[in-house]
Every structure is written in structure tokens, then in C-alpha cells.
Amino acid sequence: MAKLDQKQIALLEAPNLAHVATLRKDGSPQLTVTWIDWDGEHVVFNTAVGRAKERHLRRDPRAGVEVVDPNDPYNFVSVTGPVELVEGQEAADHIDKLAKKYLGVDSYPNRRPGQHRVLCKVRPDYVYGTDS
């Protein structure tokens, strides 16, 4: 597992948006802007069952994540690696944590009845960034 430095971790911990890349069935990349987090070991993001990211990652559990500092576009971190999918209460709690980070609210306001959340944990096999 690759190590991130403090400057790279700070980009993930700040309320910066990330680009997440997954692979479609035909092997072409699919990119999504999403909320991002760092759990001390993994780059983490959240999605819902049935969405493109979730479907792609069940079929091919590899992803790339890039965060660019909005105040300095030359300060960035890119992480790629395999993804572990976690469902249940941990995933539901995590979307609320992200809502607090990005929106300043205690509960994710766009939750739909019957929607099941998926926590996506990217193991950083490759890390590239400003100081790499």
C-alpha cells in the first residue's frame, strides 16, 4: 500500500470535490464528481446501490480518485487502487458524515425511501501528487 503525505491527506480531508473514475463494461472510463474523505488508511466515498459507480465497482473493483486544490490547481493528489464495498449502517452513517463536511447539516438531505448506501474504500496502491 502506498503512503500519502500530510499535504495530500489535507486535500482529502478538506471539503474539496473529487473526480472518481470507474470502468464501464467495455473498459472505457466513467468519471463522476463526488464528495470524498480519508479514514486514515483508505480514500473513501459514498454512493447508492444501482448507481453507475456501484455497478462498475461490483464488476471491476478498481478506481481512481483525484482531488485538486480549488485555490491552487497545481496542488493535487491522485490515488488508484482496489475498492472494498461496505453496505449497511456504516455506509448510511458515512453519507451523514459527508453531509456534515460538505453541507454543514447532520443528516444527508437527499436520502430517498428504500435507498441503500454503499461506502467505497479505495486502497491507495498508487499515489501521485504535487510533491510526488
Side-chain angles (χ1 to χ4, degrees):
M1 183 179 332
K3 299 291 182 196
L4 283 76
D5 65 32
Q6 287 304 312
K7 189 174 180 181
Q8 294 165 335
I9 291 169
L11 283 172
L12 298 169
E13 290 180 335
N16 297 315
L17 295 174
H19 296 100
V20 172
T22 58
L23 298 172
R24 294 181 178 103
K25 267 188 214 180
D26 66 3
S28 64
Q30 186 261 340
L31 290 163
T32 306
V33 175
T34 192
W35 294 345
I36 202 77
D37 207 1
W38 172 251
D39 71 3
E41 188 176 344
H42 302 92
V43 176
V44 291
F45 58 93
N46 201 296
T47 190
V49 171
R51 291 194 179 154
K53 288 188 299 288
E54 182 261 349
R55 292 190 321 268
H56 297 167
L57 290 169
R58 289 204 190 274
R59 191 189 64 263
D60 186 338
R62 296 178 293 167
V65 177
E66 183 172 71
V67 176
V68 177
D69 183 337
N71 299 312
D72 178 3
Y74 297 103
N75 179 25
F76 69 95
V77 61
S78 293
V79 176
T80 59
V83 180
E84 173 190 358
L85 301 178
V86 179
E87 295 183 64
Q89 194 59 48
E90 184 178 357
D93 291 344
H94 182 258
I95 193 62
D96 289 335
K97 179 182 175 191
L98 289 174
K100 184 70 167 181
K101 175 180 175 178
Y102 285 89
L103 302 175
V105 298
D106 292 328
S107 182
Y108 180 60
N110 298 319
R111 188 175 277 127
R112 296 188 178 119
Q115 184 180 69
H116 299 283
R117 303 302 305 185
V118 180
L119 176 59
C120 306
K121 297 182 172 190
V122 183
R123 185 181 75 212
D125 280 356
Y126 300 97
V127 176
Y128 181 75
T130 305
D131 296 329
S132 297

